[in-house]
Amino acid sequence: MDGQQELPAGKGEHPFQHQGAVELLVFNFLLILTILTIWLFKNHRVRFLHETGGAMLYGLLMGLILRYATAPTDVQSGTVYECGKLAFGPATLLVNVTDHVYEYKYKREISQHNVGPHQGNAILEKMTFDPEIFFNVLLPPIIFHAGYSLKKRHFFQNLGSILTYAFLGTAISCVVIGLIMYGFVKAMVSAGQLRKGDFHFTDCLYFGSLMSATDPVTVLAIFHELHVDPDLYTLLFGESVLNDAVAIVLTHSISIYSPKDNPNAFDAAAFFQSAGNFLGIFAGSFAMGSAYAVITALLTKFTKLHELPLLETGLFFLLSWSAFLSAEAAGLTGIVAVLFCGVTQAHYTYNNLSSDSKMRTKQLFEFMNFLAENVIFCYMGLALFTFQNHIFNALFILGAFLAVFVARACNIYPLSFLLNLGRRRRTPWSFQHMMMFSGLRGAVAFALAIRDTESPPKQMVFTTTLLLVFFTVWVFGGGTTPMLSWLRIRVGVDLEEDQKEEPASHQEANNLGKNTTRAESAWLFRMWYGFDHKYLKPILTHAGPPLTTTLPEWCGPLSRLLTSPQAYGERLKEDDADCIVSQDELAMSYQEQSPSAGSPPARPGLGLDRSPSPPTPPNKENIYEGDLGLGGFELKLGPTPGPPPLN
Amino acid sequence: MEPDGDAARLGLGRAARTLPPRLLLLPLLPLLLGRGLRVVAAASSSGAAAEDSSAMEELATEKEAEESHRQDSVSLLTFILLLTLTILTIWLFKHRRVRFLHETGLAMIYGLIVGVILRYGTPATSGHDKSLSCTQEDRAFSTLLVNVSGKFFEYTLKGEISPGKINSVEQNDMLRKVTFDPEVFFNILLPPIIFHAGYSLKKRHFFRNLGSILAYAFLGTAVSCFIIGNLMYGVVKLMKIVGQLSDKFYYTDCLFFGAIISATDPVTVLAIFNELHADVDLYALLFGESVLNDAVAIVLSSSIVAYQPAGLNTHAFDAAAFFKSVGIFLGIFSGSFTMGAVTGVVTALVTKFTKLHCFPLLETALFFLMSWSTFLLAEACGFTGVVAVLFCGITQAHYTYNNLSVESRSRTKQLFEVLHFLAENFIFSYMGLALFTFQKHVFSPVFIIGAFVAIFLGRAAHVYPLSFFLNLGRRHKIGWNFQHMMMFSGLRGAMAFALAIRDTASYARQMMFTTTLLIVFFTVWIVGGGTTPMLSWLNIRVGVEEPLEEDQNEHRWLYFRVGVDPDQDPPPSNDSFQVLQGDGPDSAGGNRTKQESAWLFRLWYSFDHNYLKPILTHSGPPLTTTLPACCGLLARCLTSPQVYDNQEPLREEDSDFILTEGDLTLTYGDSTVTANGSSGSHTASTSLEGSRRTKSSSEEVLERDLGMGDQKVSSRGTRLVFPLEDNA
């Protein structure tokens, strides 16, 4: 055709070709800047600003620049086209513009009052991600990593408390926030700030549920660095991880709560439907996640894939991702599936991996977690200015702050009281205060809030969530260190020290009967431990007693099939010692370097350790340390723990 | 390129594909109203009535959205399960030492199978037409807001479609889902592959053969492009006479085909070489050629596309347009090169002057982000991101790598290795899938046969003459068997495919795509499978066992020391030796070891050693000695303190050096790698007999730097332990 017509079209198209490049570049630079700043902070041992806080700060600055320093560019892009004959929104739109046919893809529906902001600044528009990205791309690695690096020993010891905080606590906090917010909404209506009927009770509950997802990354990072009491750490970490899962499912169930006639009246049928939905989705996602992890564990156990760490890592990654996708495809919640997949992978598959793959997978997910987390926080900063439909309502925001604190208090103190009735090792007041204090909000709350910003109430919720996240991350995050010292919480609990006590007690325990050492653990834990040790571990990993001894007679062939030859080997050698070894294994951490074939050089000391004499402390320390599954940079610090300045 | 980043991008791609809400009405309806704007709704149907009460519709819309998200997940899941299957089969093959089928070939086979199932196992959906009316506009916007009976929908521009194709918008929903936007390949999948290639170039042999590699890559690709183009033009003429050609096919199209098909990608062959330890020079030649080849082919094809003569006949030869294309080629190539090199240098400087190596995670993240930025920056500036990323990878490996902490080194290597592995297998399984799911194939037997002949002739016409000329200049001649092997290894792979799928709008391009696909299949399966027999038939030295080489090197290491040996980049801590004897890179001994290297290499080497290395890394002689006196200040501030330190306390440095080495060794070989206490304890014990370990540790350095697959690394790991024990 004639080149003249072609040229303008070609030029017009040019920007599309590199669509995204510039925006991504901006994020990249922000992250690079964040990394350098963080390095500077770490180098100078400044602890009041965590990297996520830094990322938010930079995002905020960038948002400010983008908002006020860029001119509206494509004025016409906001023109609304009327299309009388189009009665629905098709997936693909072919538009014929003077003989050039362009293909348009459906992006989303915009509600009427939001059309305005779309007319104008194309840069702001471009810097806005599709909210689904958070759920499909950024959150999964974060959540998986959280599951993959749960400190197993302490986690299982505190299982009961953690589950209580996560399930009951979240439910309580959701209801309390919902109720308080409903009160404020009523007040706003009477104050004339809000039209009646705009903000339903379900919206309040929705806000409550998304606000219940706590995410104390900042606090946890500091805890880790200062070696705070592992029990407190586990409680907080376990709670926050499971919390997220509960909050996500809860939010989903609330959003589908739709009574038949009056959308705001209580309807028992709809309520039970929602509750059933909650249970169904949660259980389904849990099953899906664990199923994939079990498959991975079996695959890695029965193939000799550990000869090729690259393939092993690839397999691990792909199967974990499949858990997410399968759950999504089945209509469940991928994030929850991925969380439990991570926990199960860490508990079983990890033991079957070659040492190289262990490191690789850990580092891979750690890296992905780091990037995704910082991207999200950076985007939060950015969104404060680039998101175009903010609704700032002072009363609502104030109410939200109040509600969040009250709800956190209603969740921690009563539950801790109840739990203390049952726990032998009580959760002291200082821990409770600290848990109360660490109710930070983070990525999950943000992602849930940004998912739906169509209606004004949802936009108000989003704005408020954003502000809450900022406030909690900066203020609470920054105040962690002073708070710790003020509450006189034990810091610098050297893991080694902790460790030394443990093995010794275990030795005795073995002589007396192992239950005595677990004095503090609940029956739930003991039951689970017995089952896990006798059946699951032998089936899924190379460790544990051979199944032939634990399973009843009639499934003999099956158990022979499932037991790995190594299990017999150990068994035959020294029955007692074996028991001790696997005992340590559990105590030490879920992953002592299990005797996977093919990595003999990896275990310099094990041959000796297997003798009934107490294992040599240095070796165990290493194993233990290696197991924490936390940041490599922290590990580096470990050997030279600068005594925390607090004491 | 990039892991999570990669995941992030992937996700972008994925989310972008997330589908529309309601849609399911039928394929298209052309209708035109208004003056200029015609809206055609292409909808795939599922027989939903479109006009209904709004509440019902709302619900339906939500359901649709959910449904389509679910389908997206399913299609992605398909790929992931394919990859999982591939991994397991590969393990089986490797376990049984079956070498005739490489993992990429296998991925393609599985892809094919799934493609067949999807094609013939899923029902095609069809729909009916409906007309719409709209207002007018005369240019295309990136976003479009459409008001449909009170509701506003936002649309984003996807691309321009040639008018003839409107009716062929895919009808089968499932097939459409598994078809990716071709840009995904360029923006997400290729960058990690290419970066990894650059990052793992065997440096010593690469630089030694630099001249030959460049000749093959640039001249060779150009020659092959022209020969293939001309031959294909002949074939096209023939087809016209026979009447098999149903649409236009210009000379530029032929050249374009020549350019895309010149990108060789002998992954399969290289993997086998690596496994069998084939001759390193041959390996370096092939690998280097294939890597640079890709870069040249990309830029070449884009400059051929840019060739637009001014006159009426747009496909006649026009000197001005031709030179403009050449200019574009040079501009893009050098621009991308500069961009890649510059970011590499920036990363090197940042890692050199900050103490980021205390925090390997931050370091790795920085490394990753900087490398990714290269890509984005190049794309944003209109250069070719993939090329920039390649050179960035090379620069990073050459300089930044030396500044990284030990842990980051292994992290970055492993990270990119995993990404590379996944991306590569993904592309190959997509290729298998595309043979059946792509809906616009044009199979033309004459063209395909012509193409097969042309690529072999093109390959021959480039390998043999160029080798002849190069042999005139080389001291270390390229033997006939090497030439035959190079000729034989002209596999086509991911790059040719990605280039071909990028534009499948016209008839000619579709035919090219189909042909490219078949060529890739053929070469990967047949040629790839025949590598082992071919190697033995050509009597090419295999099993050049590393130990042998090590012994050899060891002597050299002992007597000549690193400074003069281009063997590898000395890691930072190494420079004690370097400084010791490295001051005289042109000393007699130095020259003798690299007899075989060309002057180009020597020139580059001394420049690199005297200026670049000291500026960008902690190694090399202090700048103050190499730079002229006038820039003393600059030199002082650029030289890292370590370099000075290295000079005096040799003894301590020595053991210190060994310590790090030990660490390194363990990192690869051992299980207790996590950089915590345990490796520390090893190192501690190692340091005691430090001096005696020099030998083995230097071997290690050498080996480690080769930067190849970890299969090797892990086997080395075990080997490694022995010297350790011996000394103890």
Side-chain angles (χ1 to χ4, degrees), chain B residues 53 59 72 109 124 139 181 212 263 339 342 371 377 414 430 433 484 587 618 635 638-639 678 721 727:
Chain B
S53 84
L59 258 178
D72 277 347
I109 293 179
R139 45 178 286 225
D181 178 355
S212 316
M339 198 138 288
V342 165
S371 308
L377 207 61
Q414 294 177 353
Y430 186 76
L433 205 69
H484 291 314
S587 72
H618 296 297
L638 283 175
T639 308
S678 139
V721 175
N727 287 338

Side-chain angles (χ1 to χ4, degrees), chain A residues 552-569:
Chain A
E553 285 282 321
W554 49 268
C555 26
L558 185 71
S559 58
R560 257 194 300 283
L561 196 71
L562 284 174
T563 309
S564 76
Q566 271 121 314
Y568 292 114

Side-chain angles (χ1 to χ4, degrees), chain A residues 72-86:
Chain A
T73 45
D74 203 351
V75 187
Q76 279 183 299
S77 72
T79 318
V80 177
Y81 297 94
E82 304 290 338
C83 193
K85 301 228 180 157
L86 203 60

